[in-house]
Amino acid sequence: QKKLQKMTKDQPERKQQQHGAKMAEVYGIVGYLLSIISFLLWLLWAYTPEWILHSVSVTYYPDRYWAVAIPIYFGSLFIFVIIFYNAWNMINTYPFDSIYTIRGEGKCFFMDR
């Protein structure tokens, strides 16, 4: 008994770990489920004939034009963001003959970094 108490006193205290899911994990699964549900609703709206929607009393919905236009807009935006990001990095990169692009083994004291 005393030997066990001595052994437990000598050991460092362990931090108590939290049990359960972290908030990032919860947000991740909720975002994943919402994206799946949104995609399924989009498929249902885009491919279901109008007479079926009217038979289940769904009479107000956006025009089918948006079923094609919104994905194309997002795809175009994605491509634009990639091109803009690369162009922005090229604009903000020093030229090859700039003093700031010199690298070597010694330390350069006249650079302001």
Side-chain angles (χ1 to χ4, degrees), residues 50-58:
E50 287 188 23
W51 64 271
I52 293 177
L53 292 174
H54 288 293
S55 69
V56 292
S57 300
V58 177

Side-chain angles (χ1 to χ4, degrees), residues 6 33 86:
K6 184 179 180 184
L33 292 175
N86 287 325

